[in-house]
Amino acid sequence: SGAISFRDVHFAYDPARPILKGVSFDVPAGKTVAVVGPSGAGKSTLSRLLYRFYDVQEGAITIDGQDVRDVTQKSLRHVIGMVPQDTVLFNDTIAYNIRYGRPDATQEEVVAAAEAAQIGPFIQQLPEGFKAMVGERGLKLSGGEKQRVAIARTILKSPPILILDEATSALDTRTEQEIQAALDIVSKNRTTLVIAHRLSTVISADEIIVLKDGTIAERGTHGELMQRD
Ligand code: ADP
Ligand code: ADP
């Protein structure tokens, strides 16, 4: 489940300046589709529309055939997990940050998610359960570690749909590769919309959509797009 369909989507923040001018593509259930294109092309806008930070002005976005405008943003948050470019953490324990979104999770589940995301040592380091303070007292996490917290949160929440919005683009090359490997595991068998600005970071996507000036300029697998250039 979790099939996403963008159908002739139009959107403008300012009526005088259309951002999306009729964009149609599908993210089949369990597949990964990447949207690439220059900065300002409207890539992140697509994810904001899926998440209902804004609503499409023409056309529709559906999940399993249901128009997202008929779903509350709150319900959408339960089916969609998002890993942004820079994860902003709450000034609380790492466990709290991982648990955010699934307050019912047991301690064992939180630890398992932390270990799967390879951030386990941080929450186990300190006595009395999870008291690793992010911020003034104690640990200052690197960009890669913060993304691992976001990944652990996603593993725990286990949403059918995942949005990766430039999730590795703030990282150095080596960290980017490590985090990408972790994201590949998390996105396996989940419907995943990847927003990226470079083709080289989305080699394994089932389909790549190249967005330019609010329309789809090209689409295909990485191999197909490379052959055409
Ligand atoms: P991309 O992700 O491809 O870089 P965005 O979807 O973030 O592009 O933005 C597309 C265009 O919409 C850009 O020109 C950007 O300046 C503009 N834009 C983005 N958010 C807003 C907003 N909240 N209000 C007005 N314009 C915006
Ligand atoms: P409630 O109103 O019941 O406290 P929220 O609407 O804050 O719940 O959150 C519900 C779900 O949305 C949770 O699963 C949480 O993981 C997710 N969520 C909330 N905010 C975000 C966000 N900014 N990015 C990704 N997921 C979020």
Side-chain angles (χ1 to χ4, degrees):
S1 72
I4 308 166
S5 185
F6 291 85
R7 278 287 152 271
D8 195 30
V9 167
H10 290 252
F11 182 78
Y13 295 97
D14 163 4
R17 199 172 146 251
I19 302 295
L20 299 172
K21 308 172 195 168
V23 172
S24 301
F25 67 95
D26 293 324
V27 191
K31 300 288 184 189
T32 295
V33 172
V35 178
V36 304
S39 173
K43 305 183 297 291
S44 292
T45 300
L46 281 172
S47 68
R48 289 178 211 135
L49 294 170
L50 176 61
Y51 218 68
R52 289 206 66 201
F53 284 130
Y54 300 93
D55 279 332
V56 303
Q57 289 151 350
E58 251 184 80
I61 300 173
T62 63
I63 296 176
D64 293 329
Q66 184 177 33
D67 195 312
V68 295
R69 283 169 296 186
D70 297 331
V71 185
T72 61
Q73 197 186 48
K74 188 169 168 160
S75 315
L76 284 172
R77 284 181 179 184
H78 289 283
V79 289
I80 303 174
M82 164 104 84
V83 181
Q85 180 174 342
D86 289 301
T87 297
V88 179
L89 297 177
F90 298 103
N91 194 9
D92 205 314
T93 64
I94 291 175
Y96 174 91
N97 276 282
I98 293 173
R99 200 188 287 272
Y100 177 74
R102 266 210 53 207
D104 63 301
T106 65
Q107 188 155 305
E108 287 72 25
E109 288 174 315
V110 174
V111 171
E115 279 172 358
Q118 293 180 354
I119 196 102
F122 287 94
I123 60 173
Q124 282 170 341
Q125 225 170 26
L126 295 156
E128 269 185 69
F130 312 114
K131 288 281 165 59
M133 294 301 288
V134 184
E136 41 177 353
R137 273 215 308 142
L139 296 169
K140 176 136 174 39
L141 299 186
S142 69
E145 287 157 357
K146 279 197 275 186
Q147 294 310 71
R148 290 192 188 281
V149 173
I151 290 167
R153 181 186 290 170
T154 303
I155 290 169
L156 189 66
K157 181 175 163 183
S158 198
I161 295 174
L162 195 55
I163 300 173
L164 308 179
D165 192 348
E166 307 265 18
T168 62
S169 59
L171 306 172
D172 62 76
T173 312
R174 194 175 137 219
T175 311
E176 176 172 18
Q177 284 167 1
E178 288 172 9
I179 298 300
Q180 191 55 55
L183 289 171
D184 285 345
I185 295 168
V186 177
S187 59
K188 203 160 189 287
N189 301 323
R190 257 181 247 285
T191 310
T192 307
L193 180 66
V194 181
I195 309 288
H197 59 268
R198 283 183 295 132
L199 209 54
S200 59
T201 59
V202 292
I203 294 170
S204 59
D206 295 295
E207 187 178 24
I208 298 170
I209 305 289
V210 183
L211 202 63
K212 275 192 189 130
D213 297 326
T215 59
I216 295 177
E218 274 192 280
R219 60 196 294 170
T221 62
H222 186 266
E224 288 164 354
L225 293 177
M226 291 307 278
Q227 240 167 14
R228 267 176 242 159
D229 286 342

